[in-house]
Amino acid sequence: ERHQKRILNCFNNVNKIVANSEYTKNLINEINPGLKNIKIINPGVSNFDNIIEQDIRLISGHPTLLTLGRLEKRKGHKYILHSINNLKKIYPNIRYIIAGEGEERSYLEKLVSSLNISKNVMFIGSINEGQKKFILKNTNLMVMATIDESKKRSIEGFGISYIEAAMFSIPSIASNVGGTSEAVLHNETGMIIDNLDKLETTIIDLLGNEIKMKDLGKKAKLRAEEKLSWSEIVKDYNSL
């Protein structure tokens, strides 16, 4: 209760509150429905033009799926790993890159081993911007199977990784949790799934439709450059 009062006090004594998504704005309104000084500004991304690409020795394989983010339960890596186990029947050389560190790593490594998909999955740990550029240039599809952990006060407010992928014309598959449906526009810059049971079929449908993959990727890049680049986002901040 004391913590809640401090938050309310803070909200009531600022000129402007910036929310990173409509979803986050609604969470603030739940705390205090009377607040009128909330402005939504999505997180911005920088292009990678001035980043020097840094190679990483990757396992070979194609097509390449990527999950970029902390290795925590909320990110749902395990659902993707189970999908990879089935997808390798269709794509024997499928490659799944897991970038990031976190408390789930040892569990996920054991799962990879037990599913016998070690030749298809690679953990690359924490990466710098140069390494990120290299990986994104070698990725076909960004996949995040986020689960709803809002009751544990763990949420996905937006999802900047999707936009970074978009800068490389990579479409995304994301679950409909938190603000992800604002970061990935369904059937426009990627696919939003309402149920993780649909994860595998959605991956298969996209990988099997090169024209749709290219179209989604093209639209994702255009949106990222025109609406979510820092050069545009900073104008919103300056206008405050």
Side-chain angles (χ1 to χ4, degrees):
E1 194 182 322
R2 189 164 163 240
H3 182 60
Q4 185 96 337
K5 278 183 181 174
R6 283 177 65 194
I7 292 171
L8 284 168
N9 197 37
C10 177
F11 283 167
N12 291 326
N13 284 283
V14 295
N15 297 101
K16 215 73 172 171
I17 298 165
V18 176
N20 66 354
S21 64
E22 183 77 37
Y23 172 77
T24 310
K25 179 187 175 181
N26 291 337
L27 289 180
I28 298 167
N29 280 138
E30 281 177 23
I31 296 170
N32 185 349
L35 290 169
K36 304 288 184 208
N37 59 340
I38 308 169
K39 165 90 172 168
I40 298 168
I41 304 180
N42 296 136
V45 289
S46 302
N47 67 43
F48 285 73
D49 294 352
N50 297 321
I51 301 291
I52 299 165
E53 195 176 317
Q54 192 176 327
D55 289 17
I56 294 179
R57 191 183 290 274
L58 298 173
I59 55 171
S60 61
H62 184 84
T64 300
L65 276 53
L66 170 68
T67 301
L68 181 61
R70 273 194 57 77
L71 306 192
E72 52 190 10
K73 192 178 178 184
R74 174 166 65 90
K75 298 291 185 180
H77 295 83
K78 71 175 183 180
Y79 299 100
I80 303 168
L81 290 174
H82 281 288
S83 293
I84 294 291
N85 187 37
N86 293 323
L87 287 163
K88 72 176 183 178
K89 294 164 193 167
I90 306 167
Y91 299 97
N93 298 316
I94 194 168
R95 176 172 63 174
Y96 176 38
I97 299 169
I98 298 175
E101 278 295 352
E103 63 273 10
E104 282 280 285
R105 178 158 179 168
S106 60
Y107 163 75
L108 294 171
E109 285 175 332
K110 285 172 189 165
L111 182 58
V112 166
S113 183
S114 68
L115 291 171
N116 196 26
I117 52 173
S118 297
K119 79 177 185 72
N120 302 98
V121 180
M122 185 176 189
F123 293 85
I124 56 173
S126 297
I127 52 171
N128 59 37
E129 293 299 292
Q131 292 166 328
K132 188 188 289 183
K133 183 176 183 177
F134 175 77
I135 293 158
L136 288 168
K137 283 178 78 172
N138 288 281
T139 293
N140 302 107
L141 185 61
M142 173 73 86
V143 186
M144 306 269 261
T146 314
I147 57 175
D148 189 351
E149 295 251 286
S150 53
K151 286 184 172 65
K152 297 180 182 178
R153 298 192 176 188
S154 180
I155 60 157
E156 194 74 62
F158 183 68
I160 201 67
S161 296
Y162 305 115
I163 313 304
E164 289 179 322
M167 294 297 261
F168 290 82
S169 301
I170 301 166
S172 296
I173 293 176
S175 43
N176 195 11
V177 171
T180 52
S181 61
E182 295 171 67
V184 180
L185 305 182
H186 183 58
N187 251 331
E188 189 176 329
T189 69
M191 303 298 290
I192 296 287
I193 52 174
D194 290 320
N195 191 315
L196 285 172
D197 290 343
K198 297 176 184 174
L199 177 64
E200 197 177 304
T201 53
T202 306
I203 294 172
I204 291 169
D205 289 346
L206 265 192
L207 291 180
N209 190 339
E210 198 173 325
I211 293 169
K212 185 168 186 177
M213 282 270 286
K214 281 187 176 175
D215 184 52
L216 292 173
K218 186 179 172 184
K219 286 175 180 170
K221 182 176 172 67
L222 198 65
R223 175 184 177 235
E225 289 179 337
E226 291 184 354
K227 296 185 176 176
L228 294 164
S229 66
W230 267 118
S231 53
E232 290 302 310
I233 296 293
V234 78
K235 291 175 188 174
D236 291 330
Y237 278 101
N238 286 336
S239 73
L240 294 183

